[in-house]
Amino acid sequence: MLHLVWLKRDLRLHDHAALTAAISAVRQQGGRLALLYAIEPGVWSQPDSSLRQWQFVREALFDLQQQLTQDAALWCLPGDMPDVLQRLWQQQQAKGQSFSLYSHEETGNLFSYRRDQAVRQWCRKHDVIWHEFAQFGVRRASRSRPHSRDDWAAHWAAFMEQAQHAMPPLSECPWLPCPLPDALPVTALPTNLGYDQTPCPGRQPGGRSAALALLSSFLHSRGRFYRGSLGSPLSAEHHASRLSPYLAWGCLSLREVLQAVRAAQQQAPDTRWRISLAAFESRLWWHCHFIQKLEDAPQQEHQPLHPAWAGVRQFNAAWYAAWANGQTGWPLADACMKYLQHHGWLNFRMRAMLISLASYPLWLPARQPALHLARWFTDYEPGIHYPQVQMQSGTTGINPPRMYNPTLQAQKQDPQGVFIRRWLPQLAQVPDSWIHQPWSMSQCLQAQCGVIIGRDYPAPLVHFEQATRQAREHIRQLRQQPAYRHTAMDIGQQHGSRKRRHSRAVKSGDSKSGSSKIKASPDQLDLF
């Protein structure tokens, strides 16, 4: 009997419910154990995938292999998962043996959703038992447990407060070498998977070892200034947790991060530390809140959550290309896109601003901007990404329009233009007084600064104030449709947040210092 643990977005051994269950089954029923990672062409050819994401996963698999006592324990098999299972099943049948499958549930893109449906059908057809386990506080609906938000917060809290699954004594596990001849060692994995092949030289390294080091530095040094540092791309680079790719690909479990944060709160040396850690804890709640939205409505990857928005916006290929390549003429937006291209990460407020610009003044449908950002985010988490895109582009029907003014954001988040000049060197000589609106400079001043608007750097694609006024009028007319409000109320009932209990740190905080007033806000989600 083979107990096969299928790794997906859970590239770790610690706090791994599927692995724990498989080991328990081996002890009770006998048999042998293996870890499987399927290198799926279908997954890595999707338009939301990228080389940077695959490189991160590849490094995470290598790091995981280093933790194992036997190279044979990890099977890396090429092929889409139903095909991989078919080959394994035929091989096991030839030996008169069977196997069972263990994995975490996944709230991924629509392709992975349908892939999992195909795996489920395959398992039923071949009498293979597939044991699935929740990875964090997201609930999967069933006939006996329909969708409901009313008790969701309590469910999340109960799940997160459970004891972590300890990493098993690996030397005692009866690992089975892969019986298929096309298994690849991690050192021989492909190097060029992913739909988008744009290089990402500043990408964070993959793997649990890097994740644990980053978590430690956040809890013991960088995180002290977390709460006040999230808005600016300059300060967020250093004081945001930067844990998002390790959570998105499962190098860390959300539960172990939450419990580590709570332990650090108990040891925090001052009020500022406690406030920042409590603020970060609230983001972990919002992490699952948004993933639950996609779990409950997977179609929102491809279509507006509120159906009245379908077909409202028009695609302009030239404007989209300018936005995607950092050529909008709004310096902070363009600098953010260049930074994202290089690093594979961007702080949340700037991500929200990029979607807002595409959605309102440029009036682009959300699908193509969403895909562009998805493949450039090393920390791409579909369950957060698509609900956030829906919210920031206004297509949920229940959120107010978030029209980020790129000039005002630049003046607030990068007042001296340090970030802008770093990523748009053609503007390096522009004075501080003009750096946020270089198109306003006279021709003489442009020549003195060595940047001619329209030649060396573009003018804004549209007049921001006029374009956003037009967008507001479109929205006003849309909301006047008779059924709009009724549908929005139904959406709010299904997807809206409910009251939740405050974190321990907030409850026990010093009210005079303001720590009792901390509120979680989806506007400030750090783990986007």
Side-chain angles (χ1 to χ4, degrees):
M1 178 68 175
L2 169 62
H3 302 274
L4 187 62
V5 180
W6 176 20
L7 300 175
K8 297 191 278 184
R9 285 177 167 261
D10 49 359
L11 303 179
R12 65 180 184 275
L13 302 175
H14 178 78
D15 199 23
H16 199 292
L19 176 59
T20 301
I23 292 174
S24 177
V26 168
R27 290 170 178 166
Q28 295 175 16
Q29 305 169 20
R32 303 184 75 177
L33 182 69
L35 301 171
L36 166 66
Y37 184 83
I39 308 162
E40 301 179 86
V43 168
W44 294 104
S45 63
Q46 293 303 301
D48 56 355
S49 70
S50 61
L51 175 64
R52 63 191 64 191
Q53 294 163 6
W54 168 246
Q55 290 174 332
F56 186 94
V57 168
R58 191 175 184 272
E59 291 170 359
L61 289 168
F62 184 83
D63 187 79
L64 190 149
Q65 177 69 82
Q66 298 296 103
Q67 301 169 51
L68 295 167
T69 56
Q70 298 181 31
D71 290 347
L74 177 59
W75 301 357
C76 296
L77 289 170
D80 291 319
M81 190 59 180
D83 297 333
V84 169
L85 290 174
Q86 181 67 24
R87 285 151 49 205
L88 284 171
W89 180 80
Q90 290 173 345
Q91 193 276 343
Q92 291 293 100
Q93 287 289 299
K95 292 184 176 182
Q97 298 178 355
S98 59
F99 69 88
S100 55
L101 186 64
Y102 300 78
S103 77
H104 280 121
E105 296 173 346
E106 179 181 357
T107 304
N109 60 14
L110 198 58
F111 180 88
S112 71
Y113 174 79
R114 291 170 175 164
R115 183 271 319 273
D116 284 358
Q117 287 181 320
V119 169
R120 190 166 292 108
Q121 292 173 359
W122 184 93
C123 288
R124 289 171 182 164
K125 178 180 178 180
H126 295 85
D127 294 323
V128 171
I129 300 176
W130 183 12
H131 308 270
E132 288 189 278
F133 303 87
Q135 184 170 195
F136 32 64
V138 173
R139 283 196 299 196
R140 182 150 291 178
S142 64
R143 292 180 180 178
S144 60
R145 189 182 64 198
H147 301 286
S148 175
R149 280 283 182 167
D150 294 340
D151 61 345
W152 186 87
H155 164 81
W156 182 91
F159 184 92
M160 290 299 167
E161 290 168 3
Q162 292 174 5
Q164 300 170 37
H165 299 285
M167 190 164 71
L170 301 176
S171 60
E172 300 175 11
C173 293
W175 301 109
L176 178 68
C178 186
L180 298 181
D182 58 344
L184 298 173
V186 292
T187 53
L189 291 177
T191 59
N192 61 345
L193 297 184
Y195 178 91
D196 183 276
Q197 293 284 303
T198 305
C200 188
R203 173 184 58 81
Q204 292 175 255
R208 181 170 174 81
S209 300
L212 290 173
L214 197 66
L215 175 61
S216 178
S217 73
F218 176 71
L219 295 180
H220 300 106
S221 59
R222 296 184 300 107
R224 185 170 188 268
F225 301 100
Y226 170 83
R227 189 177 179 226
S229 302
L230 298 183
S232 170
L234 288 167
S235 56
E237 179 178 12
H238 303 288
H239 299 294
S241 77
R242 303 302 301 274
L243 295 173
S244 50
Y246 304 100
L247 290 170
W249 296 103
C251 302
L252 297 171
S253 81
L254 195 73
R255 177 162 51 199
E256 73 172 309
V257 172
L258 174 68
Q259 294 182 9
V261 169
R262 288 181 173 175
Q265 287 174 0
Q266 298 297 321
Q267 304 296 323
D270 56 50
T271 300
R272 183 166 193 167
W273 262 109
R274 289 192 292 274
I275 291 174
S276 278
L277 291 175
F280 178 69
E281 180 182 333
S282 74
R283 272 58 169 191
L284 300 181
W285 186 88
W286 286 110
H287 166 282
C288 294
H289 165 78
F290 279 99
I291 294 178
Q292 187 69 57
K293 289 174 180 284
L294 189 65
E295 174 69 28
D296 293 343
Q299 74 279 2
Q300 64 184 295
E301 175 190 345
H302 290 272
Q303 59 193 50
L305 193 60
H306 196 300
W309 277 94
V312 170
R313 291 181 168 120
Q314 301 300 314
F315 186 72
N316 183 311
W319 286 2
Y320 166 74
W323 173 87
N325 291 299
Q327 294 289 323
T328 66
W330 293 303
L332 182 60
D334 295 337
C336 283
M337 198 65 84
K338 300 294 185 182
Y339 179 94
L340 175 60
Q341 178 181 346
H342 181 88
H343 287 286
W345 181 88
L346 186 66
N347 64 310
F348 174 75
R349 183 171 292 275
M350 297 300 98
R351 299 185 191 207
M353 180 187 70
L354 291 178
I355 282 292
S356 174
L357 290 177
S359 301
Y360 296 112
L362 302 184
W363 204 242
L364 296 172
R367 176 64 176 163
Q368 291 304 320
L371 286 174
H372 177 75
L373 294 181
R375 50 187 175 248
W376 275 16
F377 290 158
T378 307
D379 60 1
Y380 169 50
E381 173 66 77
I384 295 177
H385 183 69
Y386 291 109
Q388 278 286 344
V389 167
Q390 294 264 352
M391 186 173 77
Q392 301 301 336
S393 64
T395 56
T396 65
I398 59 175
N399 298 107
R402 289 173 165 83
M403 299 184 184
Y404 289 79
N405 185 314
T407 301
L408 296 181
Q409 287 295 314
Q411 292 168 346
K412 181 177 181 180
Q413 307 299 345
D414 186 28
Q416 280 76 49
V418 174
F419 182 81
I420 290 173
R421 292 187 182 92
R422 181 184 303 168
W423 294 98
L424 300 176
Q426 63 269 49
L427 300 181
Q429 301 304 315
V430 175
D432 290 359
S433 55
W434 300 101
I435 190 65
H436 303 121
Q437 295 176 291
W439 62 88
S440 299
M441 293 189 297
S442 67
Q443 289 292 324
C444 179
L445 186 55
Q446 291 179 35
Q448 292 177 15
C449 296
V451 55
I452 303 301
I453 301 302
R455 185 192 71 186
D456 304 311
Y457 183 72
L461 293 172
V462 297
H463 187 283
F464 181 83
E465 287 75 14
Q466 292 178 0
T468 51
R469 279 198 298 271
Q470 293 174 356
R472 290 184 189 280
E473 178 59 22
H474 283 307
I475 295 169
R476 187 189 68 80
Q477 294 179 11
L478 194 66
R479 290 182 172 180
Q480 286 182 341
Q481 295 180 6
Y484 190 95
R485 181 177 176 81
H486 178 76
T487 302
M489 291 176 64
D490 291 341
I491 293 170
Q493 179 62 30
Q494 181 180 7
H495 296 286
S497 62
R498 308 291 194 269
K499 290 183 179 180
R500 68 183 182 97
R501 65 178 181 81
H502 294 297
S503 71
R504 299 171 188 173
V506 175
K507 280 186 173 181
S508 60
D510 180 0
S511 61
K512 293 181 181 180
S513 69
S515 60
S516 63
K517 297 181 181 179
I518 295 173
K519 296 181 180 179
S521 169
D523 281 353
Q524 300 172 350
L525 185 66
D526 178 46
L527 301 174
F528 183 92

